[in-house]
Amino acid sequence: MSREVLLTGFGVRTAFGTGADAVREGVFDGRPAFAPITRFDTGPYRTGLAATGGPAAPLREVLADVAGAAVAMAGLPTGAEAAVLVGTAGDFTGLTRFWRGADASGASGASGAPGFSGSADSPGSSGPPDAVDSGGAVETVPAWQAEALADTLGLRGPRLAFTSACVASATAITHACRLIASGRADTAVCAGAYLVEEENLAKFDSGFALSRDGMVRPFCADRSGLLLGDGAAAVVLESAEGARRRGARALGALTGWGAAGDAHHVARPHPEGAGLVMAAGRALRRAGGPRIDYVNAHGTATRYNDPAETRGLHTLLGAAAARTPVSSTKSTTGHLLEASGVVELVITLLALRDGVLPPTAGFTEPDPHCDLDYVPNRPHKAELRCALTVNAAFGGANTALVLERA
């Protein structure tokens, strides 16, 4: 028999700051966090804006902070048996420094590699000894991030890293739900993090995907693209039986989850949102077909995503789509890449618990092909029992999570 999956703790960080109140004051107030990037030179790129929270810390430290907050909220003791699943592409800053050094000096260090000193005193190399090899290059390995987080938290159990881009942390959550529902695990800590850095800014810039006017306007006729943002979050998931044994308080219940790949195009979603429909359809069936009171959309404010997502929601929800509020919180936080799924799950949890719909900020005139209620500009009070949060990634990957208020 499938076991119920409860959410018993969370930690979150965005450009607005750390913790739930920072999310409420930024995301739920509809206040975009976009500002000039100061952590690297943006001169070569079409935009120098992103939603950053100041100087970048090492990714492992950010993951440890949010996961530590989640574990503390859940009351999970050190040494507990818990799976640790992380959505991450690793920390690219060490490699960026390495290649910048090679480009700048052309010098060969003790290793024979250009610009490599082999020293633990190199910039940004603080941390565990194995993290400083090649100036921090080990930290770019996603699996190392999962191992480091589990060791920092003192948790025993499987450690897994998911590298599926913008659905990475949502995929980690989906896998954790499967482990718990099937009885293969009682507890899982799921986390994801992304901090704005030059590697990905350059990639999105080269693909002409970044907003030209410094705003992210999902579902609007005048939208011009996305902007990146800092984000990290972690959640503690437990079986209902395990949570009861520990006396843990349930904050919400993950009643449905689904994943699908439509393989339509390397970078574009299926125009009818086929992947979303497959993933969310599976999640809703698993949840028993509940009425959805709110959808936290992927909503990237790009030319192809928004109409495809709208069509997919029409197919998925049928006549109910016209009266179901849908918003994109990327309009305030920016696109959080690997962290998107878990941060947006926490935002959705807060919406359910507070009875407030987070708005789509900066909303102007809707795209003629986008005809849903996008909660424009201002939050709204609402009686919310059940919500759906969806994400998508390059290559046609899609995830969906159904969350119900505890």
Side-chain angles (χ1 to χ4, degrees), residues 1-383:
M1 177 181 289
S2 179
R3 300 192 301 172
E4 185 180 8
V5 180
L6 301 181
L7 193 159
T8 59
F10 69 86
V12 63
R13 168 177 166 169
T14 65
F16 298 110
T18 300
D21 285 344
V23 171
R24 291 184 177 105
E25 292 165 9
V27 174
F28 283 80
D29 280 354
R31 180 165 54 89
F34 308 115
I37 299 168
T38 59
R39 59 183 62 154
F40 56 86
D41 178 19
T42 61
Y45 311 114
R46 295 176 184 85
T47 183
L49 299 176
T52 58
L59 199 70
R60 57 184 159 78
E61 293 181 7
V62 174
L63 280 166
D65 285 347
V66 295
V71 165
M73 185 183 293
L76 200 64
T78 301
E81 181 76 22
V84 175
L85 302 95
V86 180
T88 177
D91 190 333
F92 276 91
T93 53
L95 279 185
T96 301
R97 283 193 300 270
F98 171 73
W99 290 117
R100 284 289 189 204
D103 289 345
S105 68
S108 178
S111 71
F116 173 60
S117 68
S119 169
D121 296 325
S122 59
S125 63
S126 61
D130 61 345
V132 303
D133 182 41
S134 302
V138 171
E139 295 204 18
T140 66
V141 179
W144 186 90
Q145 295 288 341
E147 287 284 343
L149 180 60
D151 288 345
T152 298
L153 296 174
L155 297 177
R156 298 177 293 111
R159 293 102 180 261
L160 296 170
F162 296 81
T163 60
S164 43
C166 309
V167 298
S169 56
T171 304
I173 293 165
T174 296
H175 189 69
C177 288
R178 290 176 179 142
L179 291 176
I180 293 169
S182 65
R184 288 177 287 168
D186 263 333
T187 308
V189 176
C190 301
Y194 172 73
L195 302 177
V196 175
E197 38 65 56
E198 194 169 1
E199 174 87 11
N200 274 299
L201 185 80
K203 290 175 180 175
F204 280 93
D205 181 74
S206 66
F208 296 90
L210 298 176
S211 169
R212 297 188 297 272
D213 61 6
M215 291 292 290
V216 177
R217 297 188 176 91
F219 308 108
C220 293
D222 60 350
R223 69 192 186 280
S224 62
L226 61 87
L227 292 172
L228 299 176
D230 287 352
V235 293
V236 176
L237 304 181
E238 302 188 58
S239 68
E241 296 90 334
R244 279 195 294 270
R245 281 196 303 270
R246 293 199 313 107
R249 181 170 63 105
L251 305 176
L254 273 160
T255 57
W257 52 88
D262 61 43
H264 169 72
H265 188 274
V266 68
R268 298 177 190 171
H270 189 283
E272 299 300 319
L276 181 155
V277 174
M278 285 190 285
R282 289 168 183 163
L284 289 173
R285 286 191 296 274
R286 183 169 195 96
R291 188 188 79 179
I292 297 298
D293 299 313
Y294 166 63
V295 178
N296 186 287
H298 189 56
T300 56
T302 50
R303 176 182 175 187
Y304 295 103
N305 176 88
D306 296 2
E309 192 166 8
T310 298
R311 293 185 192 105
L313 290 172
H314 272 292
T315 300
L316 180 73
L317 301 175
R323 58 181 182 271
T324 303
V326 176
S327 68
S328 171
T329 51
K330 290 181 179 69
S331 60
T332 57
T333 65
H335 198 332
L336 311 177
L337 302 187
E338 289 81 14
S340 295
V342 66
V343 172
E344 289 165 12
L345 178 65
V346 171
I347 292 170
T348 304
L349 174 68
L350 294 175
L352 291 175
R353 293 182 64 80
D354 295 351
V356 177
L357 295 168
T360 301
F363 200 88
T364 52
E365 292 296 319
D367 183 312
H369 301 290
C370 300
D371 58 354
L372 299 175
D373 173 8
Y374 300 111
V375 195
N377 296 316
R378 298 173 63 84
H380 295 291
K381 286 280 188 181
E383 180 64 28

